[in-house]
Amino acid sequence: MKKLCLLIVLGLLIASSAMAQDEVKPSKFENVEWYQVVLIDFKQGTVGKVQDIIKQYEAAGKEAGTPGPELYWMSTGEYDAMAIWKLDNGPADMEWKVSPNDVKWWDAFVKQQGSEEAAQKLQQEFASYVNKSTSYLSRKVKD
């Protein structure tokens, strides 16, 4: 039994030293696209109101010419919706507190709502319907 354990340990040492001889080189993903994925759980009975607000958000985005997320409504699981934003500049897009596209969208949304106060009120209403959310950064390597 001791001989078997010794042989296994020696085999592992030889294998690991052979792997250590291969030089590790830095490498980046090629042809990669980055996405922000947000999962949202809305409070019970609010999904219809949320969908109405989202239509207004989408209309403002269309008016501003800014890309919105792909939106998926879940059929199972603990979340009601999944929003996916493509990050054209990779994770660097997440360095903005307020991006140029955010400014364009907000200006169109304020115009649509009639005033800054009305736009903020609708934003607060939407936020009041959110029970919880979580966000992920994801990458897709294209072929």
Side-chain angles (χ1 to χ4, degrees):
M1 186 63 156
K2 285 184 180 182
K3 287 183 182 181
L4 179 59
C5 286
L6 181 61
L7 285 174
I8 291 173
V9 169
L10 285 174
L12 290 172
L13 286 173
I14 291 169
S16 65
S17 69
M19 289 171 59
Q21 290 177 3
D22 292 338
E23 186 176 338
V24 178
K25 297 178 185 175
S27 61
K28 291 178 79 173
F29 291 107
E30 293 187 28
N31 298 320
V32 67
E33 292 178 342
W34 288 91
Y35 297 87
Q36 180 184 17
V37 179
V38 179
L39 299 171
I40 309 165
D41 174 39
F42 296 106
K43 292 178 181 172
Q44 190 77 18
T46 63
V47 170
K49 293 175 186 176
V50 163
Q51 290 173 331
D52 289 341
I53 294 171
I54 288 172
K55 287 177 187 175
Q56 294 175 62
Y57 287 173
E58 291 171 337
K62 186 174 181 179
E63 176 70 25
T66 57
E70 285 189 54
L71 190 60
Y72 297 89
W73 293 96
M74 310 303 259
S75 297
T76 61
E78 64 182 288
Y79 292 97
D80 295 306
M82 176 173 55
I84 303 173
W85 281 268
K86 185 171 189 249
L87 304 175
D88 291 326
N89 299 306
D93 278 355
M94 299 183 78
E95 295 174 4
W96 292 95
K97 283 186 181 181
V98 179
S99 75
N101 278 341
D102 293 340
V103 171
K104 289 180 198 174
W105 178 85
W106 182 253
D107 289 344
F109 187 59
V110 167
K111 181 180 174 187
Q112 174 197 79
Q113 294 302 306
S115 70
E116 185 95 17
E117 294 76 24
Q120 288 174 350
K121 184 178 178 185
L122 194 58
Q123 287 280 73
Q124 290 168 350
E125 181 182 348
F126 181 88
S128 76
Y129 298 145
V130 176
N131 188 41
K132 68 178 178 176
S133 67
T134 189
S135 179
Y136 297 95
L137 187 59
S138 178
R139 69 176 181 270
K140 176 181 177 182
V141 179
K142 300 184 302 181
D143 294 331

